[in-house]
Amino acid sequence: MTKYSYFEYFLSKVVDINPGESEADINLKLSEHSFSGLKSILYFSCLINKDLFYTFDNFKAYLNGPVEVDIYENRKSKDLFSKFIFDGKRFKVIGENFIETFEGLDVCIKSLIDNSISYLKSKSSVFCPDRSIIDHSTVSLVELSRSLSNKVWKECFYYNKFKGSISKLFESYPSSIDLERSNLISKLI
C-alpha cells in the first residue's frame, strides 16, 4: 500500500471515524481540521513512533512547519486518494462505509499510527494546555512544530541544508530525530 492509503488511515484515526457513521457526520469532524494542522499532527505522530518516518519519508521545512511533501503536493489527486478528497481547504470523505477498506493495510504500520494518535489525544501542550494535541488550533500546532529543535528548523528552513529536507537531515543525523522527539515531549503536558 502507498503512503496515501496510510495517510487516509491516519485521517480516520485523527477524527475517530466509526463504522456506519454518516458521511455528513464524518465531514463535520473533518471540517474541524485544516491541512496545516493535520500536517503538524502527522509530523508529531512520526516523532512519537519514529518508524513511521519509513512510511512518511519526505518531510520538508516549510514556513508553517514540517510538511510531508508527497502528501501535500498530491492532496487533490483523485488517483492517489480513494477515501478522502481535498476540497481546497479541508478533506472530505468520499462516500460512506469505507472503514473495512483499511483491512488491506499493514497491521504494524496501522498499530504505529494508532499508538501515536492515542498518545497525542492524551496530551496537551504548553501552547494550549486545555485541549489535546489533536484538538489544538492550527496556529498552536504550527507554533509547536516550529518550536521544537532549533537545529532541525534552522538547518532545514533558514540555512536550507539538505534543500530543506527534514527527512534527509534525519537520515544523515539519526540522533536529530531523538532530539526533536525529546523537545516535543518536553512541551507536552
Side-chain angles (χ1 to χ4, degrees):
M1 295 311 258
T2 68
K3 72 171 70 179
Y4 306 101
S5 299
Y6 289 106
F7 182 76
E8 290 183 314
Y9 181 76
F10 161 84
L11 276 177
S12 77
K13 293 302 173 179
V14 167
V15 298
D16 286 324
I17 296 174
N18 299 303
E21 198 165 5
S22 76
E23 185 176 341
D25 288 342
I26 295 169
N27 285 333
L28 181 63
K29 289 178 182 181
L30 286 166
S31 72
E32 297 171 5
H33 297 278
S34 69
F35 185 76
S36 289
L38 289 168
K39 56 102 181 145
S40 294
I41 295 168
L42 179 63
Y43 182 66
F44 300 152
S45 295
C46 291
L47 287 174
I48 297 303
N49 281 307
K50 63 185 177 183
D51 286 341
L52 284 172
F53 281 116
Y54 293 112
T55 301
F56 302 107
D57 60 353
N58 195 13
F59 278 95
K60 286 194 174 179
Y62 280 27
L63 180 62
N64 287 328
V67 172
E68 212 295 340
V69 176
D70 298 325
I71 301 293
Y72 177 75
E73 289 180 352
N74 294 299
R75 68 192 182 278
K76 296 179 183 178
S77 173
K78 293 177 183 169
D79 296 328
L80 296 173
F81 290 97
S82 61
K83 297 165 190 54
F84 298 95
I85 191 70
F86 188 75
D87 71 359
K89 213 173 162 189
R90 305 267 196 271
F91 281 95
K92 291 186 175 182
V93 72
I94 301 171
E96 297 179 35
N97 300 319
F98 65 91
I99 299 294
E100 62 279 355
T101 62
F102 290 121
E103 291 175 4
L105 299 179
D106 183 278
V107 175
C108 293
I109 297 172
K110 285 171 53 177
S111 179
L112 291 173
I113 293 169
D114 292 344
N115 293 338
S116 291
I117 296 300
S118 178
Y119 180 80
L120 293 171
K121 285 180 178 181
S122 73
K123 298 292 182 182
S124 60
S125 80
V126 295
F127 292 98
C128 191
D130 59 333
R131 300 174 88 184
S132 83
I133 295 295
I134 302 296
D135 296 324
H136 274 33
S137 69
T138 299
V139 172
S140 295
L141 289 167
V142 168
E143 284 301 312
L144 179 58
S145 71
R146 290 172 44 181
S147 75
L148 301 180
S149 168
N150 285 334
K151 177 177 175 49
V152 172
W153 189 251
K154 284 182 182 175
E155 295 289 317
C156 292
F157 188 73
Y158 292 114
Y159 304 125
N160 201 26
K161 286 216 175 161
F162 303 101
K163 297 185 178 176
S165 176
I166 293 171
S167 296
K168 292 208 187 303
L169 175 81
F170 288 165
E171 280 178 31
S172 298
Y173 303 101
S175 63
S176 295
I177 295 174
D178 295 328
L179 177 63
E180 188 84 333
R181 182 180 194 277
S182 296
N183 286 324
L184 171 63
I185 290 173
S186 74
K187 295 183 185 306
L188 301 181
I189 49 178

